[in-house]
Amino acid sequence: MNKAAIIFGDGACSGNPGPGGWGAIVYNPDVGVRELGGALSPTTNNQMEMTAILKALEFLVGFKGTIHVYTDSAYLLKGITEWVFGWKRRGWKTAEGKDVSNIPLWESLIEVSAKFQKKQIVWGYVPGHKGVPGNERVDQIAVAFSKGEFINLYKGSLKSYGFDLENVPEDTSIPDMNYEKREKKVAYSYLSLIGGSLERHKTWAECEARVKGRSGAKYKKTLSENDEILILKEWGIEPSKLKK
């Protein structure tokens, strides 16, 4: 802990796009803990997730030790550790030939990452809304900024900080986001969103019956409870709004 820096980052968005906020915690063993945050509108949840980590890394430029980065955005993690290399080779096109989203942010993340030594940054995934103290705090910061609410940002020693930054899951490996494999897996649930009204369905038939022919409807298959949370965050919806 005394030789490693720690970053937690998260984003929030009311609507997707809509008013958004980002929050980050940066622990530098040389100077202590610093909370960061900001707002932007219109924006998307993914853009806020990326901005949080970008701002935190910029804050640590010049640090010489290992940097552990934690986020609940599998999109960001897969992008920065795998997808960006292929995207750049193809002129910022996906494998299907479509334009990559959020190119300026990806370019900024690549640029700031290059200011650190190879393998100095250790990327890690933590599930959202599962009680990981650092993740819960950056979520609070991001949501407050997205709503225009005041939140006091901490600056001080680790000893006096009220969140245990070492409390992370043993497994922080990046989740699989292979959508071809995803379609073959058994569904945990199906989510549908029409005009701000969210519903969960046990079967695809129920979901299809609700969204078929409805303009602007969103729907998605989920594979787990955590998968539901990730999808809701992509849609800019608080997971608490989903009835169990």
Side-chain angles (χ1 to χ4, degrees):
M1 187 74 172
N2 60 346
K3 293 183 180 180
I6 294 176
I7 287 173
F8 280 90
D10 199 15
C13 196
S14 298
N16 213 15
W22 61 271
I25 299 168
V26 182
Y27 168 63
N28 181 334
D30 299 324
V31 299
V33 177
R34 179 72 177 269
E35 291 183 342
L36 309 171
L40 186 66
S41 182
T43 188
T44 67
N45 191 74
N46 281 336
Q47 289 169 359
M48 291 293 89
E49 298 270 9
M50 296 169 72
T51 299
I53 299 303
L54 173 63
K55 296 295 186 182
L57 285 172
E58 289 175 344
F59 197 80
L60 280 177
V61 169
F63 180 75
K64 301 302 181 183
T66 301
I67 301 171
H68 294 278
V69 177
Y70 298 112
T71 172
D72 60 17
S73 173
Y75 167 77
L76 186 158
L77 291 169
K78 281 289 189 182
I80 197 61
T81 62
E82 296 181 27
W83 298 339
V84 291
F85 307 109
W87 289 341
K88 287 186 68 178
R89 286 195 304 269
R90 292 187 292 267
W92 291 104
K93 297 287 185 179
T94 67
E96 294 76 28
K98 298 179 181 179
D99 291 334
V100 171
S101 300
N102 307 313
I103 295 174
L105 282 168
W106 288 121
E107 290 178 330
S108 294
L109 280 166
I110 292 170
E111 182 179 354
V112 73
S113 298
K115 295 180 180 180
F116 299 94
Q117 296 179 359
K118 189 176 182 180
K119 297 185 179 180
Q120 184 179 355
I121 301 173
V122 180
W123 301 94
Y125 172 81
V126 292
H129 304 280
K130 288 294 185 179
V132 178
N135 180 261
E136 296 291 342
R137 176 56 180 169
V138 289
D139 176 71
Q140 291 174 358
I141 296 171
V143 170
F145 273 97
S146 73
K147 295 180 177 179
E149 299 173 351
F150 172 79
I151 187 167
N152 188 42
L153 299 179
Y154 179 85
K155 179 182 179 181
S157 70
L158 178 64
K159 184 177 181 181
S160 300
Y161 192 49
F163 301 89
D164 182 5
L165 300 184
E166 290 185 291
N167 186 349
V168 296
E170 184 175 340
D171 181 8
T172 58
S173 57
I174 303 171
D176 178 28
M177 289 187 70
N178 186 317
Y179 291 107
E180 291 182 0
K181 291 181 180 179
R182 177 192 186 90
E183 292 305 315
K184 298 177 183 179
K185 292 182 179 179
V186 176
Y188 175 78
S189 68
Y190 296 89
L191 301 180
S192 66
L193 181 67
I194 302 176
S197 175
L198 177 70
E199 289 189 14
R200 177 202 270 125
H201 311 278
K202 292 183 179 180
T203 68
W204 165 241
E206 293 175 358
C207 182
E208 183 181 30
R210 183 173 190 242
V211 302
K212 192 171 182 178
R214 300 292 296 272
S215 177
K218 291 184 177 182
Y219 52 92
K220 211 151 194 180
K221 172 183 178 179
T222 79
L223 304 178
S224 65
E225 181 181 358
N226 188 60
D227 201 24
E228 285 188 336
I229 293 172
L230 291 174
I231 290 168
L232 292 178
K233 290 190 72 173
E234 289 178 5
W235 288 353
I237 297 175
E238 286 295 312
S240 59
K241 291 186 180 180
L242 183 61
K243 295 180 180 179
K244 299 298 182 182

